[in-house]
Amino acid sequence: QQKVQQSPESLIVPEGGMASLNCTSSDRNVDYFWWYRQHSGKSPKMLMSIFSNGEKEEGRFTVHLNKASLHTSLHIRDSQPSDSALYLCAAPTGANTGKLTFGHGTILRVHP
Amino acid sequence: NAGVIQTPRHKVTGKGQEATLWCEPISGHSAVFWYRQTIVQGLEFLTYFRNQAPIDDSGMPKERFSAQMPNQSHSTLKIQSTQPQDSAVYLCASSLVYAEQFFGPGTRLTVL
């Protein structure tokens, strides 16, 4: 059964700082990932997806993917207190199922 | 577009009672997923439907949990003889196939 491992479990960064979150899948067939963000008391909401090796940038958020190592990372620059949330990484489970396996997440706290 | 609708938002049951949770997916979405989220276990997959047909229920505790999707506009998750360990937030998500999953606000189930 696939496992999606995220690190660190929690992270504290100062406002304006850089936050770096990591995620790895145990399934060698995984070739794309989703990142979701969940604010306290809310439901997860898709933040970014990455399907190709390399880097994808959207505003302050950058996602990297290395398919060979089954690893993705999310980097948030100029972190804001509103970025404080649980960040969940998800990878597809099985071939052509549409089903996702989620990691346990990284709790990010940005302090003013 | 109202997003994914889940009712009730909160439900309290006594041990041994039945709980039925409702989900209305986003119109036009062909896939519906049910998850359970707790602090300890994180976000766990329960079951999923595609075009109303059950595709994968590998995450469902078989004895007391059941899910149905009688039409394209709603799905139900039924838990019989609820136990304290069933206490969790139950999340429903919908998507186009192989696309971003949109989560509902969740139902917080508390079993006393």
Side-chain angles (χ1 to χ4, degrees):
Chain A
Q1 186 173 354
Q2 175 186 205
K3 293 192 176 184
V4 175
Q5 302 282 358
Q6 291 189 244
S7 64
E9 289 187 7
S10 62
L11 181 63
I12 300 175
V13 300
E15 184 174 358
M18 170 76 84
S20 296
L21 293 67
N22 297 288
C23 173
T24 303
S25 170
S26 64
D27 184 348
R28 296 220 61 84
N29 295 312
V30 164
D31 59 2
Y32 64 91
F33 289 86
W34 301 85
W35 284 93
Y36 283 75
R37 182 167 69 179
Q38 184 175 20
H39 285 107
S40 181
K42 303 293 185 182
S43 56
K45 185 174 181 180
M46 200 276 286
L47 184 64
M48 290 185 72
S49 59
I50 187 159
F51 294 81
S52 302
N53 260 336
E55 178 180 297
K56 178 179 177 182
E57 182 177 330
E58 292 181 0
R60 298 183 293 109
F61 298 86
T62 302
V63 175
H64 293 267
L65 174 60
N66 182 326
K67 292 187 181 183
S69 61
L70 306 173
H71 178 262
T72 180
S73 57
L74 173 67
H75 305 272
I76 307 172
R77 62 176 173 81
D78 189 25
S79 297
Q80 301 298 307
S82 58
D83 295 328
S84 297
L86 175 67
Y87 289 78
L88 295 162
C89 173
T93 305
N96 300 322
T97 66
K99 176 182 166 183
L100 297 176
T101 297
F102 285 82
H104 272 65
T106 293
I107 298 171
L108 172 65
R109 184 183 304 170
V110 181
H111 65 84
Chain B
N1 189 341
V4 176
I5 297 171
Q6 288 189 251
T7 56
R9 294 294 306 276
H10 303 272
K11 186 168 182 68
V12 180
T13 66
K15 182 178 176 181
Q17 292 184 328
E18 182 177 289
T20 300
L21 313 180
W22 296 72
C23 171
E24 180 179 330
I26 293 172
S27 178
H29 281 188
S30 53
V32 173
F33 303 83
W34 284 97
Y35 296 90
R36 175 169 65 180
Q37 188 173 34
T38 61
I39 297 293
V40 174
Q41 298 294 334
L43 189 60
E44 298 178 280
F45 168 82
L46 293 176
T47 188
Y48 117 80
F49 297 84
R50 186 190 303 159
N51 296 321
Q52 298 174 232
I55 301 298
D56 185 335
D57 66 355
S58 59
M60 296 273 274
K62 292 292 188 286
E63 293 179 351
R64 299 182 294 106
F65 283 59
S66 62
Q68 293 184 324
M69 191 161 185
N71 56 60
Q72 63 185 11
S73 64
H74 90 273
S75 174
T76 58
L77 179 67
K78 183 181 291 186
I79 309 172
Q80 296 178 311
S81 184
T82 54
Q83 303 297 310
Q85 61 264 31
D86 299 331
S87 296
V89 176
Y90 289 81
L91 291 161
C92 175
S94 72
S95 76
L96 299 171
V97 182
Y98 314 133
E100 172 189 354
Q101 292 186 19
F102 292 82
F103 285 82
T107 295
R108 180 175 295 279
L109 175 66
T110 302
V111 182
L112 301 176

